[in-house]
């Protein structure tokens, strides 16, 4: 039977990356997506902006919405301090299966918890299920029309604290207009746009970094 793109991406990692070396896993995926098949990873250009925000925030608890094949999960986890943890939500079980194997190849299983299911159902359960108090960093990279409702849900569930950082992918392409309008106009956020390009292309895209003011 025909393989899927995530399966081919995983094979490229297993063929070209060194076990236990997260940066080689990131490199192998970027090479695969540039030379063989485009895939919706945050990519190398926006990935550098992600790296700089993670390094600046130095988060202990991270929530990622939208795991896909685990590219940004590995990228973030490789920069975290020893006891820090990422909870990453993925709706598609096939993607989650591939992501777990990519994460294992990078040797980062201990820092990452892949949770399957819709964000709208899991966010209200974060405290009781995972003992989370608040998130220091949230990386939004899932359905673009869920960014705003899930941000409001995070607020309502008390999962954000003064200084929590929201970092959103794809605010231009495919675009998240209602989310952008909210974080840029709400008195509860201080927002900043990092102009870049859609992964592996020349199209404009960017990341929006928003600090929750409490
Ligand atoms: O849809 C994208 N990403 C979300 C996939 C949806 C997966 C979900 C995860 C989850 C977890 C919990 N609850 C619900 C959900 S739904 C996406 C799409 C493009 C793109 C850009 C130009 C194109 F021409 C074609 C695609 C680029 C990107 O960087 C993306 O991130
Ligand atoms: Mg994205």
């Amino acid at each position: 039977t025909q393989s899927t793109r995530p399966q081919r991406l995983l094979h490229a990692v297993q063929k070209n990356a060194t076990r236990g070396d997260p940066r080689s896993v990131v490199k192998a995926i970027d090479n695969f997506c540039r030379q063989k098949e485009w895939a919706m990873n945050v990519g190398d250009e926006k990935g550098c902006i992600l790296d700089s925000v993670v390094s600046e925030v130095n988060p202990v608890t991270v929530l990622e919405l939208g795991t896909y094949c685990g590219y940004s999960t590995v990228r973030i986890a490789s920069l975290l301090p020893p006891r820090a943890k990422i909870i990453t939500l993925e709706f598609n079980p096939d993607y989650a299966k591939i992501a777990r194997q990519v994460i294992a190849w990078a040797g980062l299983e201990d820092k990452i918890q892949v949770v399957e299911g819709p964000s709208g159902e899991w966010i209200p359960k974060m405290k009781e299920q995972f003992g989370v108090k608040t998130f220091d960093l949230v990386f939004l990279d899932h359905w673009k029309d869920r960014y705003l409702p899930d941000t409001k849900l995070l607020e309502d569930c008390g999962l954000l604290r003064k200084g929590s950082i929201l970092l959103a992918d794809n605010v231009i392409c495919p675009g998240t207009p209602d989310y952008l309008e909210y974080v840029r106009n709400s008195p509860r956020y201080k927002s900043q746009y990092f102009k870049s390009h859609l992964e592996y292309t020349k199209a404009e895209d960017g990341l929006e970094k928003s600090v929750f003011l409490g």
Side-chain angles (χ1 to χ4, degrees):
T1 55
Q2 182 58 11
S3 70
T4 65
R5 179 167 309 183
Q7 280 169 334
R8 295 193 291 272
L9 183 149
L10 171 63
H11 293 149
V13 166
Q14 294 169 331
K15 180 163 175 280
N16 303 308
T18 309
R19 263 188 180 288
D21 176 356
R23 303 315 293 179
S24 77
V25 168
V26 167
K27 200 102 212 86
I29 295 172
D30 284 329
N31 289 340
F32 173 78
C33 292
R34 281 195 178 286
Q35 293 155 18
K36 299 281 187 331
E37 303 182 58
W38 186 90
M40 60 180 171
N41 316 118
V42 74
D44 40 5
E45 197 181 316
K46 288 186 287 180
C48 286
I49 301 166
L50 172 64
D51 291 354
S52 59
V53 171
V54 173
S55 304
E56 178 199 337
V57 176
N58 232 345
V60 173
T61 51
V62 181
L63 173 65
E64 176 179 63
L65 301 173
T67 316
Y68 189 45
C69 295
Y71 174 92
S72 47
T73 328
V74 164
R75 216 170 161 131
I76 295 168
S78 70
L79 297 172
L80 294 183
R83 278 170 316 293
K85 297 267 186 256
I86 302 187
I87 295 172
T88 181
L89 294 192
E90 181 46 58
F91 179 74
N92 181 317
D94 298 325
Y95 293 171
K97 218 162 127 265
I98 297 291
R100 287 193 175 90
Q101 296 173 80
V102 167
I103 289 159
W105 196 268
L108 291 167
E109 312 91 306
D110 299 350
K111 291 178 148 343
I112 300 167
Q113 173 143 28
V114 180
V115 177
E116 287 178 46
S119 47
E121 286 176 25
W122 273 109
I123 288 173
K125 293 190 222 167
M126 282 291 153
K127 293 195 182 224
E128 64 182 289
Q129 293 285 325
F130 304 107
V132 167
K133 280 193 300 304
T134 56
F135 289 109
D136 303 318
L137 172 67
V138 180
F139 181 54
L140 298 97
D141 193 20
H142 61 330
W143 280 325
K144 307 316 161 192
D145 60 2
R146 286 296 315 177
Y147 284 26
L148 181 53
D150 285 343
T151 296
K152 290 181 172 172
L153 198 49
L154 286 163
E155 291 172 14
D156 297 345
C157 296
L159 286 164
L160 301 180
R161 53 136 175 105
K162 199 171 163 49
S164 289
I165 303 289
L166 302 185
L167 188 63
D169 189 25
N170 309 119
V171 295
I172 303 299
C173 176
T176 62
D178 59 345
Y179 172 80
L180 270 191
E181 203 272 333
Y182 179 73
V183 291
R184 289 177 175 175
N185 297 303
S186 162
R188 304 185 76 184
Y189 292 92
K190 176 90 189 75
S191 273
Q192 185 183 359
Y193 175 59
F194 293 83
K195 183 175 160 84
S196 184
H197 294 95
L198 177 68
E199 49 267 29
Y200 318 116
T201 78
K202 292 188 167 47
E204 181 180 346
D205 190 20
L207 301 178
E208 187 83 359
K209 176 190 169 195
S210 307
V211 186
F212 184 60
L213 302 173

